[in-house]
Amino acid sequence: MRFRVRHTTRYDYAEDVSVSHHLLHLTARPHPRQSVHHSALTIHPAPAVQSSHTDYFGNTVTYVAMQEPHRQLVLTAESEVEVGPPPPLDAASTPSWESVRDSLGGLSGPEDGAEVVQYRFDSTLAAASPTLHDYAAHSFTPSRPAAEAALDLMRRIHDDFTFDPAATTIATPLAEVMRHRRGVCQDFAHIVVGCVRAMGLPARYVSGYLRTLPPPGRPRLVGADVSHAWASVWCGAEAGWIDVCPTNARRADQDFITIAWGRDYDDVSPARGVLMGAAGHTLSVSVDVEPLEENGAP
């Protein structure tokens, strides 16, 4: 599938902001199943300073500095990407999760050594806990194939938790999400990551977009797509990373567009910054994921 993605973030401030600095994760990330054919970032008002670099996790980060008074900031990221399906997976043929866990010390190379093991450890928003371990243990039963366990955990979270945008913020602790069993895709991705780490396996947090389909006979609504998050679980050297979406109980396929990945949301938040001035602000976000095939584009 080939997509054109347009992500617009708008901040309206109650008073003038004299100076602001921002770090942005808004540029699509290439990976073996995703090619980025075009990307552009438009900022209004134009920043005094703008630069991009690749962060520790391999994501593109853009730094901008606004040095003139402004009451509005509009960030528009546009990308054209091509996404392929995941390779076929025979979950039952993957090694047991215990053997995957125990083999981590013997991994080598930049792709399957430190790059994998670093996601085994706690992070600020996705730390292992006894509660997460106990929940995960129902999926990670003795000698169960690693991919089977990961997919079962994904389905259980989908069944046990209610999607409720009013229930949490990004600062809500995982313990509270576990207690109330309500949240959004970021929460559910963090639960996967925390549970998998509690069992001693690597897992990473992935941010991006999910192409949504309108009801039969209804047109696709521009701006109706949203930012999304899912998790990636290491299932051994042969199977590699398996991307799972607990919000929708499905593996990430060609409808999932990757922007960035890291230990948790804190590593890959779309926009963060510091500013001087403004007593408050309102935020609006619009995302449109357009399949180019619908317009007859190549």
Side-chain angles (χ1 to χ4, degrees):
M1 293 292 295
R2 193 160 179 164
F3 300 101
R4 181 179 294 119
V5 182
R6 182 182 178 93
H7 181 163
T8 301
T9 305
R10 174 172 169 165
Y11 296 91
D12 288 289
Y13 303 109
E15 298 176 357
D16 281 351
V17 172
S18 56
V19 176
S20 65
H21 300 261
H22 306 268
L23 287 177
L24 312 173
H25 286 94
L26 292 170
T27 302
R29 172 179 183 145
H31 61 72
R33 292 194 302 107
Q34 178 169 290
S35 301
V36 180
H37 297 284
H38 169 76
S39 63
L41 180 61
T42 304
I43 302 170
H44 180 79
V49 179
Q50 179 174 343
S51 64
S52 295
H53 68 278
T54 301
D55 70 8
Y56 174 79
F57 302 103
N59 308 304
T60 297
V61 184
T62 301
Y63 164 75
V64 297
M66 322 296 293
Q67 298 178 353
E68 298 291 337
H70 55 284
R71 287 206 175 190
Q72 184 183 88
L73 177 63
V74 181
L75 312 168
T76 303
E78 296 179 285
S79 302
E80 187 175 309
V81 301
E82 188 168 348
V83 187
L89 173 66
D90 182 359
S93 71
T94 57
S96 71
W97 67 268
E98 298 99 330
S99 66
V100 174
R101 177 197 62 196
D102 296 342
S103 69
L104 292 172
L107 295 177
S108 61
E111 287 299 319
D112 58 358
E115 168 60 23
V116 171
V117 176
Q118 66 179 333
Y119 294 105
R120 182 182 188 179
F121 303 107
D122 288 349
S123 58
T124 303
L125 300 179
S129 70
T131 299
L132 292 172
H133 179 277
D134 291 347
Y135 186 83
H138 291 281
S139 295
F140 289 81
T141 52
S143 302
R144 191 172 196 181
E148 272 194 3
L151 293 170
D152 184 68
L153 175 65
M154 171 194 75
R155 288 188 287 266
R156 287 177 53 229
I157 293 170
H158 177 266
D159 293 342
D160 293 346
F161 289 75
T162 300
F163 186 88
D164 182 357
T168 61
T169 70
I170 197 59
T172 302
L174 272 188
E176 185 174 332
V177 179
M178 292 296 293
R179 184 163 56 251
H180 297 294
R181 303 292 175 101
R182 309 181 78 85
V184 294
C185 57
Q186 289 85 359
D187 301 307
F188 304 154
H190 280 147
I191 292 172
V192 173
V193 172
C195 282
V196 171
R197 290 176 182 169
M199 304 306 295
L201 296 174
R204 61 194 185 193
Y205 178 98
V206 188
S207 71
Y209 310 109
L210 173 59
R211 189 267 295 261
T212 56
L213 299 174
R218 301 289 296 276
R220 187 180 59 85
L221 300 177
V222 174
D225 300 282
V226 295
S227 296
H228 194 52
W230 58 98
S232 192
V233 180
W234 179 254
C235 292
E238 184 173 346
W241 292 102
I242 305 299
D243 283 22
V244 297
C245 174
T247 305
N248 297 285
R250 58 188 281 198
R251 288 180 66 195
D253 56 19
Q254 59 266 42
D255 288 335
F256 290 71
I257 299 162
T258 301
I259 294 296
W261 61 61
R263 296 166 298 179
D264 58 33
Y265 174 88
D266 201 44
D267 287 332
V268 298
S269 57
R272 63 167 56 192
V274 294
L275 51 87
M276 296 179 62
H281 73 271
T282 59
L283 168 66
S284 61
V285 178
S286 172
V287 176
D288 185 41
V289 179
E290 177 189 4
L292 293 182
E293 287 82 355
E294 288 188 358
N295 292 333

